Amino acid sequence: MQGRALEDILAQVKPSDTGLRNNGGGHFNHALFWKVIGPQIGTSQAGPEGPLQRRIDASFGDLDTLKKTIAKAAADQFGSGWAWLVQDLNDPDQLFVTSTPNQDNPLMAKIVPAAGQGRPILGIDVWEHAYYLNYQNRRTDYVGAVLDRINWSAVSTLMA
Ligand SMILES: [Fe+2]
């Protein structure tokens, strides 16, 4: 697989490819998380702009509704996993929110249902390891804090 893009490997990964699925997915997911989260509140107060803002408004109505939709997906993900904002590659103007268990992600076309497949542009880690030190079991508070620190400019660069 040397020389292949991780995104392409994940698009082909099968349910039985446990090592690739967990470690390849885990690397991709965390790398994306570090890209889209700002270091502290106040550094990313600029909201979405340009095509990202238009796509958020067209898909969700407004930014606040998008944040609520992500927060609900994060809260409803049972056990460990991720909440995602995803670009629909069949209709790039369309964005949607979904979640996946463990280290799966919306690139995994042989694992994730068709309605949940696309290009992830924002991901929030909802494994307990992401929040238990500072938030104990309060996943909702942690997710709210992350959503206040999103670097929307970075999210924008991840769109196709
Ligand atoms: Fe994590």
Side-chain angles (χ1 to χ4, degrees):
M1 294 181 190
Q2 199 168 7
R4 287 176 59 196
L6 180 56
E7 288 86 339
D8 296 335
I9 294 171
L10 296 180
Q12 297 297 321
V13 78
K14 299 190 295 293
S16 59
D17 294 333
T18 310
L20 268 180
R21 188 176 173 185
N22 290 341
N23 296 295
H27 172 68
F28 178 91
N29 298 349
H30 287 89
L32 188 146
F33 190 39
W34 306 142
K35 271 187 203 131
V36 301
I37 193 170
Q40 59 187 353
I41 195 164
T43 57
S44 54
Q45 289 308 292
E49 296 174 345
L52 176 60
Q53 181 183 29
R54 288 196 291 279
R55 285 167 171 166
I56 288 172
D57 289 350
S59 302
F60 300 96
D62 56 37
L63 179 61
D64 195 49
T65 304
L66 167 62
K67 286 183 174 180
K68 286 181 176 145
T69 306
I70 295 175
K72 181 173 184 344
D76 290 350
Q77 172 58 46
F78 180 74
S80 297
W82 291 76
W84 302 104
L85 175 62
V86 185
Q87 184 179 26
D88 181 349
L89 291 178
N90 297 315
D91 178 4
D93 281 334
Q94 194 67 34
L95 307 179
F96 65 92
V97 167
T98 189
S99 68
T100 54
N102 302 313
Q103 296 296 0
D104 291 350
N105 70 43
L107 295 172
M108 297 180 179
K110 295 182 176 176
I111 293 172
V112 170
Q117 294 172 18
R119 182 185 181 90
I121 59 172
L122 190 171
I124 299 181
D125 190 339
V126 297
W127 284 60
E128 205 170 65
H129 69 221
Y131 57 88
Y132 78 96
L133 287 177
N134 290 331
Y135 292 89
Q136 293 78 49
N137 62 339
R138 292 175 282 116
R139 181 189 285 188
T140 301
D141 292 353
Y142 152 76
V143 169
V146 172
L147 286 170
D148 282 340
R149 288 161 172 77
I150 297 296
N151 181 342
W152 293 104
S153 163
V155 175
S156 182
T157 65
L158 296 171
M159 287 193 302

